[in-house]
Structures are given as C-alpha cells and as structure tokens.
Amino acid sequence: MDSALRSQLADAGVTPECAATIALVRDVLARVGDKWTVLVITTLADGPLRFTTLHGRIAGVSQRMLSQTLRSLTRDGLLTRTAYAEVPPRVEYALTPLGRSLSDTVTHVVRWVQEHQGEIVRHRELFDGAAPATP
C-alpha cells in the first residue's frame, strides 16, 4: 500500500489490520477488473490450455501482456502452471479451485452484460447524443 493511502487511512482512524485488508481488496479488484484477467479466466473455464492456444483464443492480447497476466494470476493462486519435460517443452495453464470460484463469479457478470447489452448500448447512445452538461 502506498504511504499516502496508509496515512489517509490512519488519519481516519482505520487500524493497520483494516488498512491491510483494504489494500488487498483494492489490489484484487484491480486484478479481477482487468480485461485480460477476465478473458484468461473465462477462456480457461473449459480446461487447461497451452500458452499458444490461449494467445490464439484471446483476441488483441500481446504475448508480453498474456505472460504478465498469467504470472500475476499464478502468483495469486488462481492458476497453476505445469511444465512437462518433453521436446519441445510443453507448459499448460489451468484454473485452481480458487480460480474456478472466480470463474463462476465472472461468468455471472458476463451473462449479465449479455442480457443487458441492448439497454447499455441504448443508454450510451442517448448519453452521447445529449448536449454536454455545463460545469
């Protein structure tokens, strides 16, 4: 947690334990809210995949960004990385039980978006067509 947030929370009377929880919640929400995380989690929901297969199924992600995302998700315990001693080497990524529980939650959000996408688009069009508000 950065010192400015720590100081702000301390000034508000938040205990160090609560501050640590707040920091972790913010960090996890940032990770879960990342578009590449959501796409990796949903793509792996059907089972383990190799890096190249994942890369091919997630449109627009660079190899570097996919590598960073996989590393972060593995660090958080949401994925496993299994390397097989073969020629050529083979590495597979799979959801852990913790990752599967996140996948279930993400799937609900994706379904919600699918069910309401027409409304969302309509509201965006109305908003974008409206005259800008004066400050």
Side-chain angles (χ1 to χ4, degrees), residues 34-45:
D34 176 75
K35 70 178 175 181
W36 301 123
T37 294
V38 171
L39 293 172
V40 167
I41 295 291
T42 56
T43 303
L44 287 173

Side-chain angles (χ1 to χ4, degrees), residues 2-135:
D2 67 5
S3 60
L5 177 59
R6 185 180 294 117
S7 176
Q8 184 181 11
L9 292 172
D11 291 346
V14 175
T15 66
E17 295 81 16
C18 286
T21 300
I22 290 168
L24 182 60
V25 167
R26 289 170 57 131
D27 185 52
V28 170
L29 286 175
R31 168 107 51 251
V32 173
D34 176 75
K35 70 178 175 181
W36 301 123
T37 294
V38 171
L39 293 172
V40 167
I41 295 291
T42 56
T43 303
L44 287 173
D46 292 330
L49 293 172
R50 295 175 72 170
F51 181 90
T52 24
T53 305
L54 266 171
H55 186 252
R57 291 189 184 177
I58 301 174
V61 69
S62 68
Q63 288 186 352
R64 181 173 182 257
M65 185 53 66
L66 181 57
S67 293
Q68 288 176 351
T69 302
L70 292 170
R71 183 174 172 82
S72 295
L73 293 172
T74 301
R75 178 178 180 251
D76 287 346
L78 300 171
L79 300 182
T80 58
R81 179 186 184 276
T82 306
Y84 297 93
E86 299 174 352
V87 178
R90 177 172 57 108
V91 176
E92 285 185 342
Y93 295 89
L95 294 175
T96 64
L98 184 62
R100 175 112 5 241
S101 69
L102 176 59
S103 173
D104 294 341
T105 302
V106 168
T107 299
H108 288 295
V109 173
V110 170
R111 284 190 190 132
W112 181 87
V113 170
Q114 290 170 333
E115 290 171 11
H116 299 283
Q117 64 187 357
E119 292 174 72
I120 294 168
V121 169
R122 193 168 43 260
H123 285 287
R124 286 180 176 181
E125 289 170 350
L126 286 171
F127 183 89
D128 292 345
T134 55

